[in-house]
Amino acid sequence: MRRNESLIHIAAFLLVIGLSAVLYAVFTDTRPGLKALDASLKERVSYHYLLKTAGNPAQPAERKVTVGKSGYEDGSANIVTAIVVDYRALDTLGEVLVLFAASAGVGLLMSKRKRKIETEASPIVTTAVPMIMLFAVVVGLYIIFHGHLSPGGGFPGGAIIASAYMIQFLAFRKKFSGNLFKILESLAGLGILGMGLAGLYTEGSFLANFLPTGELGAVFSAAGIMILYALIGIKVASELSSIIGHFIGEK
Amino acid sequence: METILFALSGLSLVMVGIFGILTKKNIIKILLGLNLMETGINLFVVAMGFFKGGKTPIITESFTASTMHFVDPLPHALVLTSIVIGLGTTALALTLTLNYFREHKHIEFRGDNA
């Protein structure tokens, strides 16, 4: 038994060493030809599809979106957000569905269980937690609604709001009724589907951006992205809160 | 050179994860190895779009017009998807681990109980 274990360790070590040697050889190859990391900048997707200009900040009239080769652009200053929620929004819909499946699976497999440790939280905790909760909710909303301007968006913002729910759950052990999260999640999912169908009806493709782009860099620009990210934030927050509730257990 | 260093450090995390998955018997440690692998793959995919001196792909007043200053934003979007899916699968795997613990009263893969 012992001997087998050490043999497995040696075999795994040799496998890892071999794989590392192959990868190192691939990435430090100096012979002529196209290398693994050698793609020219003009072969990137963003070169063909993202031609935006913020113009001269002194003249707000110039701060508009230049239509690129694709013909459709949105007013998001954050290009990653533009890709996630607009150009590849169908991916994001699938991602949200995967998260929903994980949340439903956790709810199905985690039968009701009682918490074993029952201690009252100290006054320091019960005083500090509401303030931290308020702060966390405000930061989460800020990150959700600035997803088109700064790093962030619906997913991290939703996770921050779910963490606010988690700390109140740990401190006060108050659980919202199980149906609240389901209702919120279903409404947000239906909203995302409704946005997709509206894009299909007006622009001819599912989840297309049909709302006005606005002025690039303003808070209320890229209306479609803002609405979609708000819906995604609600959905992610309720799903993660439901997972957290299942993990911590009931009283 | 920086890109190669970035990619190789991500891939070394993948190697640590593979080693952990192959040799550990505790389910929690196997899940840790899976998560290390996932993080390494994410770093590697981000490294694919990196070049030296590239800026964050957000249009600001300093970088207004051209997108050629920016690192490639497409891997970032893909990695965002990957992180969220990794979180969902980890939550599901932990739930399965808890069910295994209730059934067997331990979370080790031993030779005797198959």
Side-chain angles (χ1 to χ4, degrees):
Chain A
M1 193 66 199
R2 265 286 143 210
R3 205 164 142 245
N4 276 345
E5 267 184 34
S6 47
L7 274 181
I8 289 173
H9 277 64
I10 291 169
F13 189 66
L14 287 179
L15 178 70
V16 166
I17 290 290
L19 281 175
S20 308
V22 170
L23 289 170
Y24 186 77
V26 166
F27 281 102
T28 55
D29 193 7
T30 51
R31 288 173 294 176
L34 199 63
K35 305 295 185 302
L37 295 168
D38 221 13
S40 147
L41 291 184
K42 292 196 175 181
E43 290 171 9
R44 302 188 322 187
V45 175
S46 52
Y47 179 72
H48 292 284
Y49 286 90
L50 296 168
L51 293 171
K52 300 182 181 187
T53 173
N56 188 356
Q59 292 170 315
E62 283 187 13
R63 301 169 84 182
K64 61 181 181 183
V65 179
T66 314
V67 175
K69 285 182 190 169
S70 62
Y72 294 101
E73 293 289 329
D74 62 15
S76 164
N78 187 344
I79 299 174
V80 178
T81 301
I83 293 174
V84 167
V85 196
D86 197 353
Y87 309 134
R88 298 183 69 89
L90 201 61
D91 274 7
T92 307
L93 183 64
E95 175 187 359
V96 166
L97 286 181
V98 167
L99 196 59
F100 168 72
S103 160
V106 169
L108 184 69
L109 290 170
M110 192 87 85
S111 51
K112 282 193 180 178
R113 64 202 185 96
K114 290 191 174 178
R115 303 176 66 187
K116 285 179 184 162
I117 306 163
E118 285 291 345
T119 47
E120 288 293 322
S122 76
I124 298 175
V125 174
T126 52
T127 314
V129 158
M131 287 188 275
I132 299 174
M133 259 184 75
L134 186 66
F135 187 66
V137 169
V138 168
V139 170
L141 287 176
Y142 175 84
I143 286 180
I144 287 176
F145 285 112
H146 285 239
H148 57 292
L149 296 178
S150 58
F155 294 102
I160 290 170
I161 292 176
S163 74
Y165 176 73
M166 183 180 74
I167 55 172
Q168 82 85 22
F169 201 6
L170 288 173
F172 303 115
R173 295 192 222 110
K174 274 184 195 158
K175 190 170 186 176
F176 296 153
S177 72
N179 283 330
L180 175 71
F181 291 135
K182 284 174 194 153
I183 291 168
L184 274 177
E185 192 183 329
S186 313
L187 284 180
L190 284 177
I192 295 172
L193 278 181
M195 288 285 289
L197 289 177
L200 184 63
Y201 182 70
T202 52
E203 299 285 331
S205 66
F206 192 67
L207 280 166
N209 186 24
F210 63 96
L211 289 166
T213 56
E215 182 186 300
L216 188 68
V219 176
F220 290 102
S221 61
I225 280 180
M226 208 178 210
I227 293 170
L228 266 180
Y229 247 170
L231 291 171
I232 288 171
I234 293 170
K235 200 162 162 56
V236 169
S238 53
E239 274 160 2
L240 291 185
S241 303
S242 139
I243 288 178
I244 287 166
H246 281 297
F247 268 120
I248 297 180
E250 291 178 11
K251 200 171 178 180
Chain B
M1 188 60 213
E2 286 83 3
T3 313
I4 289 171
L5 208 60
F6 198 176
L8 283 181
S9 54
L11 286 173
S12 62
L13 269 183
V14 176
M15 292 303 151
V16 173
I18 288 178
F19 187 76
I21 290 169
L22 287 177
T23 55
K24 296 296 170 189
K25 296 197 167 181
N26 192 324
I27 298 177
I28 299 286
K29 288 181 183 170
I30 292 174
L31 289 181
L32 279 177
L34 269 176
N35 272 310
L36 267 181
M37 264 180 80
E38 181 204 321
T39 312
I41 292 283
N42 288 348
L43 279 175
F44 176 70
V45 173
V46 169
M48 288 283 106
F50 179 78
F51 62 91
K52 192 185 178 187
K55 299 287 185 294
T56 318
I58 296 175
I59 294 173
T60 54
E61 290 183 350
S62 325
F63 297 98
T64 50
S66 168
T67 58
M68 300 307 285
H69 303 291
F70 301 137
V71 296
D72 195 356
L74 187 63
H76 298 202
L78 297 180
V79 162
L80 177 66
T81 308
S82 156
I83 288 172
V84 174
I85 289 174
L87 184 135
T89 50
T90 307
L92 202 58
L94 284 174
T95 314
L96 288 173
T97 310
L98 189 70
N99 282 356
Y100 184 90
F101 178 75
R102 280 191 195 146
E103 189 78 17
H104 298 274
K105 299 298 168 200
H106 63 82
I107 50 168
E108 301 255 328
F109 286 124
R110 295 177 192 159
D112 50 348
N113 59 5

